[in-house]
Amino acid sequence: MMWLTLLYGCAGGAALLYVLYRWVIPSVVQYHAGLALIWHDTIVEGLLNALTQTTRPQRLLAAVQKNATRGDPRSVVKAIDQFCRQKEWAMNVGDEKGCILDSVVTEVNPATVLELGTYCAYSTVRIASLLPPHAKLITLEFNPHNAAIARQVIAWAGLGDKIQLVEGASGDWIPKMKEKFAIETFDLVFLDHWKDRYLPDTKLMEECGLLRKGSILLADNVICPGTPDYLEYIRNSPRYKSQYFRSHLEYTKVEDGLEKSVFLG
C-alpha cells in the first residue's frame, strides 16, 4: 500500500510539473518581458539541451527537415513558426513582426541587402524569398554553430543562390564589404544581432559609405530586449527619418517592435 501511495504521489507530481511546464508558466510569462526571456531563453533551452543532448538550433533544423517542403521557402518559414509556437520558443523575428519585415522588403524591392544576425536563417529566408532576380543578400553570423545550421535551412529552402552567409563579427566585416563583395551601398539593412552593436555598427556603416540617400535600416527588438542608445541616436539624428512599428516579442504578448529608418544622406 505504501508503494502504491508513493507511486501515485510521484505520478501526480510529475503530471503537475508537466502542466506547469507546458501550459501554466508559458501562459504567465507571455505578458512579462524579463520572465519570458529568462524562461524561454535560459531555463527551457538549458533543460532541453541537457535532456536531448542537442541544441535549440539543431532541434529547429530537425523540425524544418521533417515538416517543410524542400525548395519551398514559405513552408520553411511556416515550419519554424509552428515549432516556435507549439514546441519551443526561439529568437527569430517571428510571424507577427515577420509580416512587417515582409512589407518593408516588398516596398523597398532592394537589389542589395545586409542582414546583421542570421541565427537559424528564419528572417534570411523571409527576405530572400521576396527579393527580385539578381538581388544580393549578405547575412552575417558571429556564432559558427548557428551559421552551420543556417546554411542547412537556407539550402532546404532552395535559396542558396540568393544568399551569401558570412561568419564573423559585424565590426570586422562591415569595413570589408566594398572590397570583398563589390558592394557600393545597401538598399536595406536588417539589424537583428547583438543589441549593443546596433549603434556602433550603424555609425560604422555611415563611416564606410555603405548607406546612400534612401537606404533603409530596419531594426528588430528595439523595445524588448531593447536598444535605447540606438533609438536615441536614430530618432534624433537629422540624417534619418524614423518610424516605429509596434508589435510583440516573437511568439509572446510582450510589447516589442521594429524601427524603420530612412537614411537622408
Side-chain angles (χ1 to χ4, degrees), residues 23 36 40 43 53 67 84 87 101 103 106 113 121 131 158 183 201 214 217 254:
W23 291 292
H40 291 299
I43 297 173
Q53 293 300 297
N67 300 309
C84 293
K87 298 292 185 181
L101 172 62
S103 68
T106 301
V113 182
L131 293 180
I183 293 288
D201 284 346
L217 304 184
V254 174

Side-chain angles (χ1 to χ4, degrees), residues 26-225:
S27 296
V28 171
V29 304
Q30 278 280 309
Y31 298 90
H32 191 286
L35 291 178
L37 292 173
I38 291 170
W39 173 252
H40 291 299
D41 219 18
T42 303
I43 297 173
V44 172
E45 183 174 11
L47 178 64
L48 291 177
N49 287 358
L51 289 174
T52 66
Q53 293 300 297
T54 62
T55 65
R56 176 173 284 166
Q58 287 173 331
R59 296 188 290 274
L60 184 148
L61 174 62
V64 168
Q65 293 172 334
K66 179 181 178 181
N67 300 309
T69 302
R70 188 187 288 270
D72 182 350
R74 286 293 138 178
S75 78
V76 169
V77 169
K78 182 179 179 181
I80 295 175
D81 283 332
Q82 288 177 338
F83 172 80
C84 293
R85 284 206 176 274
Q86 299 172 11
K87 298 292 185 181
E88 185 179 352
W89 183 92
M91 57 179 180
N92 311 302
V93 68
D95 46 6
E96 187 180 346
K97 287 184 293 180
C99 291
I100 301 171
L101 172 62
D102 290 353
S103 68
V104 172
V105 174
T106 301
E107 172 196 346
V108 176
N109 195 33
T112 53
V113 182
L114 174 63
E115 178 184 44
L116 300 176
T118 316
Y119 187 46
C120 296
Y122 173 89
S123 52
T124 317
V125 169
R126 288 194 84 122
I127 294 169
S129 68
L130 296 170
L131 293 180
H134 311 300
K136 180 180 290 188
L137 167 57
I138 298 171
T139 181
L140 297 184
E141 175 53 47
F142 179 77
N143 185 311
H145 173 70
N146 292 346
I149 297 296
R151 285 193 177 92
Q152 294 178 74
V153 172
I154 290 166
W156 198 271
L159 292 170
D161 59 333
K162 281 192 171 185
I163 299 165
Q164 183 147 12
L165 194 159
V166 180
E167 288 183 43
S170 53
D172 294 334
W173 275 105
I174 287 172
K176 302 176 184 177
M177 285 289 159
K178 294 195 176 197
E179 174 192 352
K180 297 290 186 181
F181 304 108
I183 293 288
E184 287 301 316
T185 57
F186 287 104
D187 299 327
L188 174 65
V189 179
F190 182 52
L191 298 93
D192 196 19
H193 56 328
W194 295 108
K195 308 315 164 191
D196 60 0
R197 290 300 311 174
Y198 280 26
L199 181 55
D201 284 346
T202 295
K203 290 182 175 180
L204 188 56
M205 287 186 286
E206 294 172 1
E207 293 168 9
C208 294
L210 290 170
L211 303 178
R212 59 163 178 81
K213 184 176 181 179
S215 290
I216 303 293
L217 304 184
L218 188 65
D220 188 23
N221 300 128
V222 295
I223 302 300
C224 182

